[in-house]
Amino acid sequence: MVQKYQSPVRVYKHPFELIMAAYERRFPTCPLIPMFVDSDTVNEFKSEDGAIHVIERRCKLDIDAPRLLKKIAGVDYVYFIQKNSLNSRERTLHIEARNETFSNRVIINEHCCYSVHPENEDWTCFEQSASLDIKSFFGFESTVEKIAMKQYTSNIKKGKEIIEYYLRQLEEEGVTFVPRWTPAALAPSSEMPSSCKKPAAPSAVVVPDPALKEGLSSEPLSTPSGVPEPAAGTPDDKLDADYIKRYLGDLTPLQESCLIRLRQWLQETHKGKIPKDEHILRFLRARDFNIDKARETLCQSLTWRKQHQVDYILDTWQPPQVLQDYYAGGWHHHDKDGRPLYVLRLGQMDTKGLVRALGEEALLRYVLSINEEGLRRCEENTKVFGRPISSWTCLVDLEGLNMRHLWRPGVKALLRIIEVVEANYPETLGRLLILRAPRVFPVLWTLVSPFIDDNTRRKFLIYAGNDYQGPGGLLDYIDKEIIPDFLSGECMCEVPEGGLVPKSLYRTAEELENEDLKLWTETIYQSASVFKGAPHEILVQIVDASSVITWDFDVCKGDIVFNIYHSKRSPQPPKKDSLGAHSITSPGGNNVQLIDRIWQLGRDYSMVESPLICKEGESVQGSHVTRWPGFYILQWKFHSMPACAATSLPRMDDVLASLQVSSHKCKVMYYTEVIGSEDFRGSMTSLESSHSGFSQLSAATTSSSQSHSSSMVSRWRFC
């Protein structure tokens, strides 16, 4: 398996030229990197005007590995080839490194880049990426991988320290400024001040690079030929290391890499509409920074949020009065770590009465609103306390808990709530303080604990009786001034006291069932299943030409092809595919086909847009300005992997992809809307039809909408 690393953007608040002077002091060897024994220059090239300087070194490394492994491998040192391409005109340095030793068994590639900060030309940005692919190594592949990753991450941590060390060294020598490169004709005639002197580069044999010579011209060069240039590191699309430390906390280099790679994947597949970094990080932490597992659960959660409009719950849903009066829970200041504190007097709450009066779904929705409010408060506290706060503390008072709370429908509702919260709000609970646990508590704990994640369970602290008042109790986690009055504290707590729900507010099972159905069908999105040979199609009738068809859909499973067709005649009434009899007509997604099998493309209907291939997990928005009235058919079709053109044997990627969709079934969730051209042009109406629904998980959408004569995939950008 190929291991990959991608760093955040690290910023030095020093000019590029001064950073380069510090960087050159790392060669031919660096005492701050014990494993870096020596380096020899093997190739060097300088352009006539001095703007381009390419130097290739052979670096000798003493890897910290077991002596037995070195003996088996037959080497004491490992050699790497490093190529540095400095473009003084563009103020960039690209560094490429690859292993020379065991290159047929292990493939290591690294690319680093120093460049000018896009918003401050007196600052320098640095970022790096690397990959490790161990083909074989005498049966020690796993050991070698661990050693390589350990060595690499330790050197990453030292990278910035080393540059800063040499910057201080330069300052002690009186070098605080290095002038920028200028063409020879414009260079000042006066000599360089002594404070600007820079150690001369070691002499070497000059080996011109034809590719570089061809790249030289009077126009500015973006990068030396043959050197890949990564995207510019800007605050908008890349993460800054200082930002990570300030808002996300201390992460290891590999954890930073996982966050950046998952974030990049979301940007590519969700067209720039991604949740906030804190939320992505929660899913990574919940899956021990396994990118594949985190990506799967995060995508499922984003689809769930979008389908049920969870992002708007705080703005659009008003809790029933029964909840406001009898739900004994509420927010209450913060704990000693700055986490928002939620107080729940479960023992005083009539769970049976609430379930009988409101139903399971209303209670679930209320708990979701509490979690959404918790996310908002975490953001506020991060700003207030000046440190990352991504979770909250929950204080649960069980005084009064009895067998009434173990009523089976009530426990069922609790388990359902736990399941939903665990799946969609991972790593949001920082600590759970359970106070005054009665004898009946072990029974409740036995019922619910199997549904709670192991990482979450480790955050539980349980106190029986008045133990919370002793050593290791509440005062260790909550300031004395804000301990609630019902726990013998000094602070008045405005959390409702709960009590029995009047039976006059109870509702019948039929009423509750209808209300529950209403709550979770209040969505503008529809679900559909797509099968191999059985696409899903919807009909849009257009009366006025130049109307605008807009769409917003997520590919929940598998890969699909999206098509738009036009026909002058109406298709026959929709027929559910024969496969639909097999559970596909459920709310989970149906399958409808409109295009008759006897219809011929070009005669009975025509394609008005090029097919769009959409991968699993992608979120797609777009619009089409109609040219003619008539009937338009939007089609989602199963995407089959193309056979390899070079050989009759399938590629490994094709085999893996076919295994992943072995059921030949895809799922999409979609919404479409037709807008009159007079409403679409120059208005923001279309944005409402293709809004992704990350209002709480990402910042406000800032985008402008233009009408096009053809379809466009919208790329909404969330700052």
Side-chain angles (χ1 to χ4, degrees):
M1 180 178 178
V2 180
Q3 295 287 348
K4 294 183 179 181
Y5 171 78
Q6 175 64 56
S7 76
V9 178
R10 306 189 188 279
V11 178
Y12 298 94
K13 296 183 179 180
H14 299 279
F16 175 80
E17 289 72 21
L18 190 61
I19 294 295
M20 291 299 98
Y23 175 79
E24 282 299 318
R25 296 202 167 198
R26 296 175 53 166
F27 302 99
T29 185
C30 178
L32 298 178
I33 309 178
M35 64 178 293
F36 185 23
V37 178
D38 197 7
S39 64
D40 298 318
T41 300
V42 294
N43 285 323
E44 187 171 7
F45 165 76
K46 288 185 178 179
S47 62
E48 294 181 1
D49 60 1
I52 304 297
H53 184 196
V54 180
I55 185 168
E56 193 170 300
R57 296 182 175 94
R58 188 170 185 257
C59 302
K60 182 179 180 181
L61 305 181
D62 183 9
I63 302 297
D64 183 15
R67 181 174 296 275
L68 176 62
L69 184 61
K70 287 185 175 182
K71 189 173 182 180
I72 293 174
V75 297
D76 290 324
Y77 299 101
V78 174
Y79 291 89
F80 275 74
I81 301 298
Q82 184 190 73
K83 181 179 179 182
N84 292 0
S85 302
L86 174 65
N87 187 328
S88 298
R89 180 186 289 110
E90 293 295 321
R91 304 177 75 195
T92 61
L93 172 66
H94 291 278
I95 306 168
E96 292 178 294
R98 57 179 175 82
N99 62 305
E100 181 184 74
T101 308
F102 300 119
S103 57
N104 60 331
R105 295 179 177 272
V106 180
I107 301 174
I108 302 174
N109 288 298
E110 181 185 43
H111 180 253
C112 306
C113 176
Y114 287 91
S115 60
V116 178
H117 193 284
E119 296 180 358
N120 189 330
E121 62 179 13
D122 290 328
W123 290 359
T124 305
C125 293
F126 171 78
E127 58 182 313
Q128 65 189 119
S129 60
S131 63
L132 167 67
D133 185 9
I134 301 178
K135 304 294 185 182
S136 64
F137 204 86
F138 312 107
F140 291 92
E141 291 79 12
S142 178
T143 302
V144 171
E145 180 179 298
K146 290 178 181 178
I147 293 173
M149 297 304 292
K150 180 181 178 181
Q151 296 275 336
Y152 192 72
T153 52
S154 64
N155 288 333
I156 290 171
K157 292 179 180 178
K158 292 180 181 178
K160 191 171 184 178
E161 297 175 5
I162 293 170
I163 291 294
E164 290 174 346
Y165 169 81
Y166 286 122
L167 285 172
R168 289 192 298 270
Q169 194 178 84
L170 286 169
E171 185 177 358
E172 292 171 358
E173 297 173 5
V175 181
T176 58
F177 172 76
V178 177
R180 297 184 187 179
W181 174 89
T182 53
L186 302 177
S189 58
S190 59
E191 292 186 1
M192 184 186 302
S194 59
S195 62
C196 300
K197 289 182 179 179
K198 177 180 175 182
S203 59
V205 179
V206 177
V207 181
D209 188 337
L212 288 175
K213 285 188 174 181
E214 293 175 4
L216 297 175
S217 66
S218 59
E219 297 296 323
L221 295 178
S222 59
T223 179
S225 176
V227 179
E229 181 175 5
T234 67
D236 291 335
D237 59 4
K238 296 199 176 183
L239 294 183
D240 180 274
D242 294 333
Y243 160 83
I244 290 177
K245 187 173 182 179
R246 166 64 179 83
Y247 292 99
L248 304 179
D250 291 321
L251 303 178
T252 68
L254 292 182
Q255 289 173 345
E256 289 178 340
S257 175
C258 290
L259 172 62
I260 292 167
R261 288 163 56 198
L262 180 54
R263 188 175 183 269
Q264 288 176 343
W265 182 85
L266 287 168
Q267 284 179 322
E268 294 168 0
T269 58
H270 286 69
K271 314 307 176 192
K273 306 174 310 176
I274 63 173
K276 292 181 179 178
D277 301 318
E278 300 93 320
H279 200 66
I280 300 174
L281 187 57
R282 288 187 183 102
F283 279 85
L284 282 168
R285 281 178 170 148
R287 297 296 177 267
D288 294 324
F289 287 87
N290 183 307
I291 290 185
D292 293 333
K293 292 181 180 179
R295 176 170 52 199
E296 180 182 358
T297 54
L298 177 57
C299 287
Q300 290 172 355
S301 178
L302 294 180
T303 301
W304 170 83
R305 296 181 68 90
K306 186 173 182 179
Q307 185 171 16
H308 297 301
Q309 306 286 289
V310 177
D311 294 312
Y312 310 110
I313 194 170
L314 293 178
D315 300 323
T316 60
W317 187 69
Q318 182 66 28
Q321 192 62 42
V322 177
L323 278 172
Q324 299 180 43
D325 294 340
Y326 295 98
Y327 190 91
W331 293 100
H332 180 75
H333 300 284
H334 56 79
D335 68 5
K336 286 187 174 182
D337 295 323
R339 296 189 184 105
L341 176 63
Y342 189 83
V343 175
L344 179 64
R345 303 186 67 180
L346 184 59
Q348 304 299 314
M349 195 158 61
D350 181 9
T351 54
K352 179 177 181 179
L354 288 173
V355 173
R356 291 288 300 273
L358 296 168
E360 181 180 316
E361 299 300 333
L363 278 175
L364 173 58
R365 181 161 288 203
Y366 188 56
V367 173
L368 296 183
S369 70
I370 293 171
N371 280 270
E372 292 298 305
E373 175 65 17
L375 295 176
R376 187 186 66 79
R377 287 175 178 260
C378 285
E379 289 185 22
E380 291 180 354
N381 286 17
T382 296
K383 297 174 183 177
V384 171
F385 292 100
R387 61 177 182 272
I389 295 173
S390 60
S391 59
W392 52 82
T393 293
C394 186
L395 187 156
V396 180
D397 180 22
L398 296 183
E399 185 182 51
L401 189 76
N402 53 45
M403 295 302 295
R404 179 184 176 87
H405 292 85
L406 300 182
W407 181 57
R408 181 170 294 181
V411 173
K412 175 176 172 288
L414 177 61
L415 296 179
R416 167 86 188 287
I417 289 170
I418 291 174
E419 181 183 13
V420 173
V421 171
E422 282 281 307
N424 298 286
Y425 299 92
E427 296 297 313
T428 53
L429 182 65
R431 184 180 294 117
L432 180 65
L433 304 170
I434 299 177
L435 311 184
R436 302 197 278 195
R439 291 184 177 181
V440 74
F441 173 73
V443 180
L444 179 62
W445 178 250
T446 302
L447 292 173
V448 302
S449 60
F451 296 87
I452 301 174
D453 181 78
D454 289 339
N455 290 334
T456 304
R457 268 188 279 179
R458 285 194 285 267
K459 301 171 184 176
F460 285 32
L461 295 172
I462 303 171
Y463 301 88
N466 293 323
D467 291 349
Y468 69 91
Q469 296 177 345
L474 272 188
L475 287 176
D476 285 10
Y477 307 103
I478 302 174
D479 290 326
K480 181 179 179 181
E481 295 76 18
I482 63 171
I483 292 181
D485 53 338
F486 63 85
L487 294 174
S488 303
E490 302 174 0
C491 187
M492 290 296 296
C493 186
E494 298 180 357
V495 172
E497 294 183 0
L500 294 176
V501 177
K503 292 187 178 181
S504 59
L505 298 177
Y506 286 11
R507 303 166 73 182
T508 65
E510 184 178 351
E511 289 175 331
L512 291 175
E513 184 177 351
N514 292 336
E515 182 65 22
D516 288 350
L517 184 61
K518 177 184 176 184
L519 280 174
W520 291 110
T521 54
E522 290 176 349
T523 173
I524 59 176
Y525 293 92
Q526 299 183 55
S527 297
S529 297
V530 178
F531 298 87
K532 191 172 185 179
H536 178 71
E537 298 162 344
I538 62 172
L539 181 66
V540 179
Q541 185 174 0
I542 298 297
V543 178
D544 300 323
S546 298
S547 295
V548 181
I549 304 173
T550 65
W551 57 83
D552 176 13
F553 65 86
D554 286 0
V555 184
C556 305
K557 178 182 178 183
D559 300 341
I560 58 99
V561 180
F562 179 63
N563 292 302
I564 308 177
Y565 301 102
H566 172 262
S567 175
K568 293 182 179 179
R569 60 172 176 159
S570 173
Q572 295 296 320
K575 289 183 179 180
K576 287 180 180 173
D577 186 73
S578 57
L579 293 170
H582 298 88
S583 76
I584 299 174
T585 57
S586 65
N590 56 16
N591 180 271
V592 177
Q593 296 177 49
L594 299 170
I595 299 177
D596 199 299
R597 295 184 184 276
I598 64 172
W599 278 20
Q600 292 185 10
L601 184 63
R603 184 191 70 183
D604 301 293
Y605 66 108
S606 59
M607 181 179 291
V608 296
E609 290 289 350
S610 300
L612 178 65
I613 298 175
C614 307
K615 300 293 185 180
E616 180 175 329
E618 288 190 352
S619 179
V620 181
Q621 299 78 35
S623 60
H624 172 78
V625 180
T626 61
R627 297 178 60 185
W628 315 280
F631 301 92
Y632 287 80
I633 299 172
L634 275 60
Q635 180 192 76
W636 290 269
K637 184 179 180 181
F638 183 90
H639 175 56
S640 300
M641 297 296 292
C644 183
T647 175
S648 59
L649 295 175
R651 298 177 301 175
M652 180 59 67
D653 290 346
D654 297 341
V655 174
L656 293 175
S658 65
L659 290 174
Q660 292 173 355
V661 292
S662 58
S663 62
H664 302 300
K665 177 181 178 181
C666 303
K667 282 188 176 182
V668 294
M669 185 178 71
Y670 65 90
Y671 170 71
T672 63
E673 181 182 358
V674 177
I675 304 172
S677 57
E678 66 279 2
D679 296 326
F680 182 82
R681 296 179 185 277
S683 76
M684 299 296 286
T685 308
S686 61
L687 293 181
E688 297 174 3
S689 68
S690 56
H691 204 283
S692 176
F694 299 134
S695 61
Q696 297 298 323
L697 296 184
S698 51
T701 305
T702 56
S703 190
S704 61
S705 178
Q706 297 288 336
S707 177
H708 296 281
S709 60
S710 63
S711 166
M712 60 179 179
V713 175
S714 304
R715 297 178 181 268
W716 311 129
R717 174 176 152 200
F718 287 72
C719 301

